Amino acid sequence: MKGTEAFQELLPLLGDEPVVHANGFICRESFSIKDREENFYMIGSMGLASSIGLGVALCKPDRKVIVLDGDGNVLMSMGTLAMISAEAPNNLVHVVIDNEVYESTGKQRSISNAVPLEQVAKSAGYRQAVRVDKKEEIKPAFEKLMNSEGPVFLLIKVEPCFDPKTGRVTHTPEEITERFMKSLR
Ligand SMILES: Cc1ncc(C[n+]2csc(CCOP(=O)(O)OP(=O)(O)O)c2C)c(N)n1
Ligand SMILES: [Mg+2]
């Protein structure tokens, strides 16, 4: 499946859950398909969506919190997988779009072809970690994980396909923060 297809499949499954996005194309795809107040877009700060998502999940235990991450981002902050496992927020769902490249900066290969990130997450202590390769598998896997005790991890293997003509997030960092905070109240 192409990366864009994974977003098209996943985003309609969302309700009003806060979603913390990794930087780069992850934000841009999501923003261009469906912008929402509950979307927090990392502008820069590669690797830190999972840390922010962890903080939101701990502060808002009554909300399901989703981190929408990339393989390069996860590899950069692998220690956060351990921190999430240790804190064990039961409301955190960590979704990773794994295209095996740093697509946002020119498709340089990452090492996620050799390092199965879902196995790293499971070994770190996530309650469940699931890998899907086909578009049709996304909905059942996501719904099952959304109804499970977290922290849980969903790795979606995709082919890189981003169209660089896709727009950029037009909100300022201040606007993103303000509306995200408002949506959490
Ligand atoms: C600290 C830091 N290093 C590098 C970058 C440049 N950068 C932005 S997005 C990105 C790639 C992210 O890779 P991945 O998480 O796999 O997402 P993809 O681009 O493949 O969708 C890089 C290297 C950055 N923003 N910050
Ligand atoms: Mg990638």
Side-chain angles (χ1 to χ4, degrees), residues 23-26 44 46 70-73 76 99 101-105:
N23 67 330
F25 287 171
I26 305 276
M46 184 175 164
D71 52 302
N73 272 266
M76 192 166 192
N99 51 16
V101 289
Y102 299 94
E103 194 171 13
S104 304
T105 46

Side-chain angles (χ1 to χ4, degrees), residues 13-15 17 64-66 90 93 140-149 152:
L13 306 176
L14 299 174
E17 300 84 6
K64 275 278 179 202
V65 176
I66 297 166
N90 62 13
V93 179
F142 181 73
E143 285 177 347
K144 179 168 175 272
L145 292 175
M146 285 289 281
N147 288 309
S148 301
E149 282 260 297
V152 290

Side-chain angles (χ1 to χ4, degrees), residues 9-44:
E9 205 62 31
L10 184 70
L11 300 184
L13 306 176
L14 299 174
D16 65 351
E17 300 84 6
V19 182
V20 181
H21 293 69
N23 67 330
F25 287 171
I26 305 276
C27 284
R28 290 171 63 183
E29 280 281 12
S30 193
F31 175 75
S32 74
I33 294 174
K34 189 175 179 1
D35 183 32
R36 354 173 5 261
E37 298 210 327
E38 300 87 354
N39 283 358
F40 187 82
Y41 304 110
M42 296 297 289
I43 311 292

